[in-house]
Amino acid sequence: MKAPLIAFAWAGLAEIAIGAAGAVIVYWLNGKHLRAWRANLEAAVSLLKDSWPLVFSSIVTMIYMRIDQIMLGQMVGDKEVGVYSVAVRLAEVWYFIPMAIYSSVLPAVVEAKSVSDELFYSHLQQLYNLMALIGYAVAIPMTLLAGWIVKILFGAAYAEAGPMLALLIWAGMFVNLGVARSAFLTTMNWTRIHLVTVFLGCIINVALNFLLIHLMAAWGR
């Protein structure tokens, strides 16, 4: 539709608004009422103290998930970015799976921590096992079919993205395990440690990009 950039911003806002409306509707259907809500400044301040590292962690994560394409475009050129973007898009399309699982199981993990450490670590191990299994279940077939999938979806002009996809898809394994680690750190309320690890990962990513993109172009990313 050749929509301008602002249209995507409005679409993102609409998505959030619809999600919020859905949450309110479900809240009402369960016999709850927004009129019963009361502000609690003390609780708000306490939550903010615990959550601000997670807010900045999300910002840093967004930066290092996209900085590769920016650096590649500045250091090599738009053609390499186009091919690489295809591989990234197909590799990242699977990332919604671990995030959906995280949102679903986090309440159970937190509840297990309040019961006993043994139950807590048992739930964590199950989560790690599931994340690893999903990582392999996605990476292995995508590695074997990467070239064919790229040609079918984007055409022969992007054939070079096939081998890149076969390599990038294995990053999903580390994403899955990182999501599982987030469940542990969040439950333990070690949010500052989470921010430090994400920030260091971003710095290392940028430094390696500077070094390897010069040597290997898009493969260096």
Side-chain angles (χ1 to χ4, degrees), residues 141-153:
M142 286 293 289
T143 300
L144 299 175
L145 301 174
W148 179 80
I149 291 174
V150 169
K151 289 181 180 179
I152 290 295
L153 296 179

Side-chain angles (χ1 to χ4, degrees), residues 1-97:
M1 296 176 62
K2 298 182 179 180
L5 177 61
I6 192 64
F8 292 90
W10 281 113
L13 177 62
E15 179 182 358
I16 295 172
I18 293 172
V24 170
I25 291 172
V26 173
Y27 193 68
W28 282 341
L29 292 176
N30 282 272
K32 308 294 183 179
H33 300 283
L34 297 182
R35 293 190 302 272
W37 287 12
R38 296 292 182 271
N40 187 322
L41 181 59
E42 183 179 352
V45 172
S46 176
L47 289 173
L48 184 60
K49 287 180 178 179
D50 290 336
S51 64
W52 71 263
L54 296 178
V55 175
F56 284 101
S57 295
S58 298
I59 296 173
V60 174
T61 298
M62 181 176 64
I63 291 174
Y64 79 66
M65 290 289 287
R66 293 291 172 258
I67 194 67
D68 305 326
Q69 297 177 53
I70 296 174
M71 294 179 67
L72 190 61
Q74 293 294 322
M75 297 171 66
V76 180
D78 292 339
K79 180 180 178 181
E80 288 280 350
V81 174
V83 174
Y84 175 74
S85 297
V86 166
V88 169
R89 182 177 302 178
L90 294 176
E92 292 183 353
V93 73
W94 303 98
Y95 289 0
F96 79 93
I97 298 178

